[in-house]
Amino acid sequence: MFEFLKLSFNVESMMLPLMGAVLIILVVGGLIRYFQQPYVVAYIVSGIIMGPFVFEIVSNPDAISKFSDFGVIILLFFLGMEISIDDLLKYWKSSFLVITLQLIISFVLIYIIAYYLNWPISRVVLMSYVICLSSTAVVIKILQEWGEIYTEAGKNIVAILIIQDILLAPMLLTINFFDSAEFDYVSLLTQLFGIGLISVVMYFLLSKKNIKLPLAKILRKDHELQTFTAFFICFGAAFITNLIHLSSGLGAFIGGMIVSSAKETDWIEKSLESLKVLFIAFFFVSVGMMIDLNFVRDNIFVLSLLMLTVFFVKSFTLTVLLRLTGYGWLESLYVGAILSQIGEFSFVLVATGKLTGIVSNYAYQMSLSLITISLLISPLWVFFIKKITTRDIIINDDIVNLNVD
């Protein structure tokens, strides 16, 4: 988790690339916002421009990638402060049902394809997982920018994303299981213990309703201590879940819920807001840098076909499943579109699949390109579906009316 500390930097040599990177983000960000698109698109496009296949402003994308992990952690920490535990428990059953059915349907569809391509069952399982996961970073960013985090659809979407984050650990265990030499039973027991511990914390938060942070009165009067305390709570909780082999983002989310229960969200939000913007930008810029434009050019037809298949099939599947859980058709279509991209945690699954020999190097590059481009296209796809479902789009507190009922 703290490998970024091993990186060494030459400040003088970084000045020009840093200014160039900031200038690109400003220019692209201005253009993107002119067309009423979220900053997610601006960051990813900026990453492509400053990456190794265009201007090569950043010569060490790995350094950016290390910092980008903080973006997801801080994003989920803020999300935990904004989401009520009562709402999460209200939606978890329907959300878990949707995810389970989606996994089954994905497995069946990929198995049919695998039958003709002679894929092993391990690859079928891996690709089912990869396709099912949605992007927590992209979706939460869109919901926050469009002012929909507190809507019924927003709460249900958040519940689905959090359950997906929890399921990442057993997904990784399943993939490693196919490589019997690498399967770690100690890790399995550790994760089961972690899930039990999280259940206890959730029960405690639900029963107490209101808790008190140590030295809360002193912290309200000291801005510098506020900043370091907020930082400690966020990354301390992430570190604990990382130790028990669960998602760091999940720990940050729970840390945010603890802060929310303590009614201390105001000063913590102010303390970490700037870091949140910076590290989330790092995350999406690093995603843009991962796109191998040469590989995309050589495989543009296959990638386009796969991309269309993923977006349409995933949107359609989620729309039907959400309709079965009681949503209206338009609401189901909108939620299905928001969750239709392939998530950033799928990078981890694909990398694990490569290490265990489940996927070839070509399939690995294809998966990376597919995931990255889906993250780029997703906001545009959601914007298009939003017009069809005639919803308000809120951008920087300005409402863009789209023929609302």
Side-chain angles (χ1 to χ4, degrees):
M1 179 178 176
F2 297 106
E3 291 180 4
F4 77 97
L5 293 172
K6 301 176 183 178
L7 295 171
S8 60
F9 300 99
N10 185 317
V11 176
E12 290 77 12
S13 64
M14 287 181 63
M15 284 297 180
L16 186 59
L18 181 61
M19 292 305 298
V22 171
L23 179 61
I24 289 173
I25 291 175
L26 285 172
V27 173
V28 175
L31 289 172
I32 292 297
R33 297 306 279 182
Y34 177 79
F35 292 103
Q36 300 173 350
Q37 296 302 308
Y39 278 118
V40 172
V41 178
Y43 295 146
I44 296 177
V45 172
S46 298
I48 295 173
I49 294 173
M50 66 180 74
F53 299 97
V54 185
F55 292 134
E56 202 174 355
I57 291 176
V58 178
S59 58
N60 187 7
D62 289 339
I64 298 293
S65 180
K66 297 296 182 186
F67 281 110
S68 72
D69 294 339
F70 285 108
V72 178
I73 291 174
I74 294 178
L75 184 68
L76 285 166
F77 180 68
F78 272 70
L79 179 62
M81 289 193 290
E82 295 174 355
I83 297 300
S84 163
I85 190 170
D86 292 325
D87 288 334
L88 191 61
L89 292 175
K90 175 183 176 182
Y91 294 104
W92 84 268
K93 289 183 179 178
S94 60
S95 300
F96 185 79
L97 177 62
V98 168
I99 294 170
T100 303
L101 292 175
Q102 184 192 4
L103 269 171
I104 293 171
I105 292 171
S106 298
F107 179 84
V108 171
L109 292 175
I110 294 176
Y111 184 83
I112 293 172
I113 298 172
Y115 177 80
Y116 292 99
L117 297 177
N118 199 28
W119 282 4
I121 192 67
S122 57
R123 190 174 301 174
V124 175
V125 172
L126 172 63
M127 297 314 296
S128 300
Y129 290 162
V130 168
I131 291 174
C132 276
L133 291 182
S134 300
S135 172
T136 302
V138 169
V139 172
I140 298 304
K141 187 70 174 168
I142 289 175
L143 290 176
Q144 288 178 336
E145 288 193 20
W146 288 350
E148 299 201 347
I149 199 76
Y150 296 112
T151 64
E152 287 295 311
K155 293 173 182 177
N156 195 27
I157 289 169
V158 168
I160 291 174
L161 293 171
I162 295 304
I163 292 173
Q164 286 184 354
D165 287 352
I166 294 173
L167 291 177
L168 178 64
M171 285 179 177
L172 287 169
L173 271 175
T174 308
I175 295 169
N176 283 316
F177 179 77
F178 289 106
D179 184 2
S180 57
E182 295 292 330
F183 188 73
D184 188 353
Y185 291 95
V186 175
S187 179
L188 172 61
L189 293 175
T190 304
Q191 289 174 355
L192 290 175
F193 168 77
I195 292 172
L197 181 63
I198 289 172
S199 301
V200 171
V201 172
M202 297 285 277
Y203 176 78
F204 174 77
L205 294 177
L206 184 63
S207 59
K208 292 290 288 187
K209 296 292 184 182
N210 188 10
I211 62 176
K212 292 184 179 181
L213 292 180
L215 306 176
K217 291 183 179 179
I218 298 175
L219 291 172
R220 289 193 194 101
K221 302 176 183 178
D222 194 317
H223 177 70
E224 291 191 21
L225 283 181
Q226 286 176 4
T227 302
F228 286 104
T229 302
F231 205 79
F232 178 79
I233 294 172
C234 174
F235 290 99
F239 181 69
I240 291 172
T241 51
N242 187 63
L243 281 179
I244 54 180
H245 298 190
L246 293 175
S247 165
S248 299
L250 178 61
F253 177 80
I254 295 171
M257 294 184 73
I258 293 173
V259 170
S260 178
S261 297
K263 312 300 181 186
E264 303 290 346
T265 56
D266 290 341
W267 60 264
I268 288 183
E269 283 184 354
K270 292 176 182 176
S271 299
L272 292 184
E273 181 66 34
S274 298
L275 288 174
K276 173 189 171 186
V277 172
L278 181 63
F279 285 125
I280 288 175
F282 275 145
F283 170 76
F284 289 112
V285 167
S286 70
V287 168
M289 290 180 181
M290 292 181 67
I291 297 181
D292 185 336
L293 295 182
N294 293 331
F295 184 88
V296 172
R297 180 197 60 207
D298 295 339
N299 298 273
I300 187 65
F301 177 75
V302 176
L303 274 171
S304 301
L305 185 61
L306 288 173
M307 191 63 59
L308 287 172
T309 302
V310 166
F311 272 100
F312 279 106
V313 171
K314 198 169 180 181
S315 295
F316 175 78
T317 302
L318 286 168
T319 298
V320 173
L321 292 177
L322 288 163
R323 180 69 182 92
L324 293 175
T325 60
Y327 279 83
W329 278 112
L330 290 180
E331 196 80 3
S332 299
L333 178 62
Y334 177 63
V335 175
I338 283 186
L339 296 170
S340 61
Q341 74 289 118
I342 303 176
E344 60 276 352
F345 288 128
S346 293
F347 287 126
V348 180
L349 293 173
V350 173
T352 304
K354 185 173 184 251
L355 287 174
T356 54
I358 294 175
V359 295
S360 63
N361 186 61
Y362 175 82
Y364 174 73
Q365 290 296 333
M366 182 67 73
S367 299
L368 286 185
S369 300
L370 188 63
I371 296 168
T372 307
I373 295 173
S374 81
L375 294 176
L376 173 61
I377 295 177
S378 177
L380 305 175
W381 173 248
V382 175
F383 191 88
F384 171 72
I385 296 298
K386 203 173 182 70
K387 284 188 174 182
I388 295 177
T389 56
T390 61
R391 301 169 65 95
D392 278 341
I393 294 180
I394 304 176
I395 299 179
N396 290 347
D397 298 326
D398 297 324
I399 298 180
V400 182
N401 189 278
L402 296 176
N403 189 29
V404 182
D405 295 335

